[in-house]
Amino acid sequence: QVQFVESGGGLVQPGGSLRLSCAASRSINSIGTMGWYRQAPGKQRELVARISQSRTIYYADSVKGRFAISRDSAKNTVYLQMNSLKPEDTAVYYCNRFGAEYSWGQGTQVTVSS
């Protein structure tokens, strides 16, 4: 079993930035491809970005050019740098293994509002 702890969310104005962190309970190298997901009120959970062990990266069209995913194996941590935030980015953000999910953590709330 693997546990994930998301942090770094908060309330920001449109155009602002946040950096989310996802700390895993064991080596992310043993987990493989990691993804950031989000779930907004009334919507299904969606994949925002993913990064493989070789650092092959995918972004959803809605965040391309604004978000950046990265990983630090020494810290067992995956990051999501979020820039130029929009109100439609408001959601609870989660991290998990891509393609073979473990249990979901609590997520971290991101609210973009003026």
Side-chain angles (χ1 to χ4, degrees):
Q1 187 59 266
V2 180
Q3 295 178 350
F4 303 106
V5 179
E6 299 94 344
S7 62
L11 174 63
V12 297
Q13 294 185 342
S17 297
L18 286 172
R19 190 192 192 205
L20 307 184
S21 297
C22 168
S25 61
R26 63 173 170 88
S27 173
I28 59 174
N29 289 338
S30 69
I31 297 173
T33 299
M34 289 290 299
W36 278 99
Y37 303 77
R38 68 186 181 188
Q39 187 166 28
K43 296 184 178 180
Q44 289 187 311
R45 181 183 287 115
E46 64 174 334
L47 178 68
V48 175
R50 64 174 187 256
I51 182 168
S52 72
Q53 177 67 19
S54 64
R55 289 176 169 79
T56 298
I57 291 172
Y58 160 87
Y59 296 105
D61 288 342
S62 59
V63 307
K64 194 172 297 182
R66 300 188 297 118
F67 291 9
I69 189 171
S70 61
R71 58 193 289 160
D72 186 336
S73 296
K75 296 182 178 180
N76 291 337
T77 301
V78 181
Y79 302 96
L80 186 68
Q81 179 66 47
M82 309 166 66
N83 300 320
S84 302
L85 284 162
K86 304 175 180 179
E88 50 262 48
D89 295 319
T90 296
V92 179
Y93 284 72
Y94 304 87
C95 62
N96 212 322
R97 179 176 182 175
F98 174 78
E101 299 173 354
Y102 294 94
S103 296
W104 297 95
Q106 294 297 305
T108 185
Q109 176 72 50
V110 172
T111 302
V112 185
S113 177
S114 59

